[in-house]
């Protein structure tokens, strides 16, 4: 046995104590804070375990039974299980579990259906859409002709008449529905009708709400959208990754676009962890979790409204709340920074028709998936709303001591809700 080999069997703490300490510090941070970033969550120990395996050692370009390298006896089984579970859970004809993340998954859909310069329609980024739905700074906005719909100024909701009118005028080949800051239910049937009327392919991007869909807490796009893209790490609570679901007709085009069109070898350790997360998402307890996310968001929205927060669309149907701080006399960015100091982690966000700049917008985006995973319930949401309110007021009045006091209360509260994968030592 060479020394060089022996070194490879040492644990992280002895090989790289600097990184080991930072990972532990991040565990403590995730444990001691109330995490309200709407795209984040806590994965189970089983998902963490699958992610950290030697499946990372294997190259598997291609698909099960059709690979370019030998030695796929095990990987083929892992990927087939993940694909089967995805199809069963969502009721889809076809699933591709190889996209590295949500953005490449969406790019693969462009590659499958469009040529550069073709027209795509999606929700505008400042209205709640995603960069990859044709926003100008994204490759999808640079290489394709993008048209954007928004939300009503008063309603804060998508106006399908506007979508229909834009579609008839611009004749997009692809229409995206869904987004990153949409507090309301997406009307997949309504979008499907518009796509049909205009010979467009409807893509439902359910990155944020996939866990709610799987758990029956949001209507499913299957049967309405021919193509469904999703990340696996938001409400779905799997590893960082993505999936594309489709009807049988588009299966080949999607697979070809992901590989060899866009990617090389799939991340097999991630595929295994996706399979585990999909098994978890098929359990009864996951339905309870999904419905609790929505109940918590509604309770938190109520707690905030009653404290004078102005919520886009007036509330929420899902896991997400968008609060406009204009009436609180503070910008989203200083509020988010102060809340982070107070132990409450969320992100500043543009609100529809925002009059401030994107890097210092008027809003806060707040999500309840991570706190729900930790076991916090509706009874805890009013307390969180009160901390948010106190911290926002303290930020406005520049009272840093008050923020530190809240952080102490939050830390103590979080002590009753341990997180998977980290233990204080
Ligand atoms: C998060 C998100 C994505 C992108 O996912 P990444 O994994 O960050 O690339 C795409 N679409 C929507 C709607 C999202 O919310």
């Amino acid at each position: 046995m060479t020394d060089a080999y022996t070194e490879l069997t040492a644990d992280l703490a002895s090989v790289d104590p600097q990184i080991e300490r930072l990972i532990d510090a991040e565990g403590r941070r995730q444990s001691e804070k109330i995490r309200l970033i709407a795209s984040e969550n806590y994965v189970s120990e089983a998902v963490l375990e699958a992610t950290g395996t030697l499946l990372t050692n294997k190259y598997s370009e291609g698909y099960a039974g059709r690979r370019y390298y030998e030695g796929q006896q095990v990987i083929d089984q892992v990927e087939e299980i993940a694909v089967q579970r995805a199809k069963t859970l969502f009721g889809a004809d076809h699933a591709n579990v190889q996209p590295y993340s949500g953005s490449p998954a969406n790019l693969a859909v462009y590659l499958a259906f469009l040529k550069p310069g073709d027209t795509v329609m999606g929700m505008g980024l400042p209205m709640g859409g995603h960069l990859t739905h044709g926003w100008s700074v994204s490759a999808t906005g640079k290489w394709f002709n993008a048209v954007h719909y928004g939300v009503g100024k008063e309603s804060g909701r998508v106006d399908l008449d506007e979508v229909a009118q834009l579609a008839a005028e611009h004749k997009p080949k692809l229409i995206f529905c869904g987004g990153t800051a949409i507090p309301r239910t997406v009307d997949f049937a309504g979008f499907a009708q518009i796509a049909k009327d205009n010979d467009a392919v409807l893509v439902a991007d359910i990155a944020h709400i996939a866990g709610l869909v799987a758990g029956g807490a949001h209507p499913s796009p299957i049967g309405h959208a021919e193509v469904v893209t999703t990340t696996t790490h938001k409400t779905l609570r799997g590893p960082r990754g993505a999936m594309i679901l489709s009807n049988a007709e588009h299966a080949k085009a999607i697979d070809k676009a992901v590989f060899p069109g866009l990617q090389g070898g799939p991340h097999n350790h991630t595929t295994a962890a996706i399979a585990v997360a999909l098994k978890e998402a098929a359990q009864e307890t996951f339905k309870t979790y999904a419905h609790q996310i929505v109940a918590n968001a509604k309770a938190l929205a109520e707690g905030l409204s009653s404290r004078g927060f102005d919520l886009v669309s007036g509330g929420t149907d899902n896991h997400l709340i968008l609060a406009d701080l204009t009436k609180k006399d503070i910008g989203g960015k200083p509020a988010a920074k102060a809340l982070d100091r107070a132990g409450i982690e969320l992100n500043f966000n543009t609100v529809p028709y925002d009059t401030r700049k994107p890097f210092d917008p008027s809003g806060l985006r707040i999500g309840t998936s991570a706190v729900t995973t930790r076991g916090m319930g509706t009874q805890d949401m009013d307390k969180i709303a009160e901390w948010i309110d106190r911290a926002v007021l303290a930020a406005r009045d520049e009272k840093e001591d008050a923020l530190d006091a809240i952080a102490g209360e939050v830390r103590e509260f979080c002590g009753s809700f341990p997180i998977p994968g980290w233990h204080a030592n």
Side-chain angles (χ1 to χ4, degrees), residues 319-372:
H319 65 303
L320 186 147
I321 298 163
L322 253 188
D324 183 340
L325 297 182
T326 308
K327 286 187 193 148
K328 293 279 182 183
D329 275 335
I330 185 167
K333 191 175 182 180
K337 293 215 168 299
L339 281 157
D340 193 43
R341 178 163 178 164
I344 295 167
E345 182 190 354
L346 40 65
N347 67 283
F348 59 83
N349 214 98
T350 51
V351 294
Y353 305 97
D354 209 322
T355 50
R356 298 169 66 105
K357 298 224 157 60
F359 203 62
D360 184 16
S362 303
L364 295 176
R365 190 182 68 157
I366 304 167
T368 52
S369 18
V371 292
T372 304

Side-chain angles (χ1 to χ4, degrees), residues 74-249:
V74 177
I75 298 300
D76 274 4
Q77 295 180 60
V78 170
E79 188 170 323
E80 274 175 345
I81 290 169
V83 165
Q84 196 51 54
R85 285 180 184 165
K87 285 160 62 174
T88 306
L89 184 66
F90 290 97
D93 295 343
H94 180 70
N96 185 310
V97 298
Q98 294 192 3
Y100 298 142
S101 214
S103 301
N106 283 346
L107 198 54
V109 176
Y110 285 80
L111 186 60
F113 294 102
L114 302 188
K115 299 248 178 307
D118 281 349
T119 300
V120 59
M121 190 162 88
M123 190 181 228
L125 183 72
M127 296 287 180
H130 191 259
L131 283 163
T132 55
H133 300 178
W135 197 243
S136 56
V137 295
S138 152
T140 60
K142 291 180 196 285
W143 297 342
F144 302 94
N145 173 42
V147 179
H148 292 108
Y149 56 88
V151 296
K153 199 163 185 175
E154 293 307 314
S155 68
R157 297 171 189 243
V158 171
D159 172 3
L160 282 182
D161 292 338
E162 184 207 2
V163 177
Q165 193 196 322
L166 285 169
E169 186 182 337
H170 298 280
K171 291 289 174 192
K173 284 194 181 168
L174 274 186
I175 299 177
F176 276 88
C177 62
T180 59
I182 303 174
R184 295 297 180 175
T185 302
V186 180
D187 181 355
F188 298 120
F191 272 99
Q193 187 59 49
I194 294 167
K196 191 164 171 240
D197 292 345
N198 293 281
D199 285 323
V201 171
L202 179 64
V203 186
D205 181 347
I206 60 166
H208 263 262
I209 56 173
L212 304 183
V213 171
H218 187 290
S220 171
I222 299 293
H224 301 296
E226 295 166 64
V227 179
V228 176
T229 62
T230 182
T231 55
T232 46
H233 48 270
K234 297 179 184 175
T235 52
L236 190 55
R237 213 165 66 184
R240 300 198 88 87
M243 307 191 292
I244 305 176
L245 311 173
S246 75
N247 61 15
E249 184 194 345

Side-chain angles (χ1 to χ4, degrees), residues 277-292:
L278 290 168
K279 180 169 184 179
E280 291 173 353
Q283 310 304 312
E284 272 311 304
T285 46
F286 196 87
K287 293 196 175 82
T288 312
Y289 150 80
H291 285 93
Q292 190 63 47

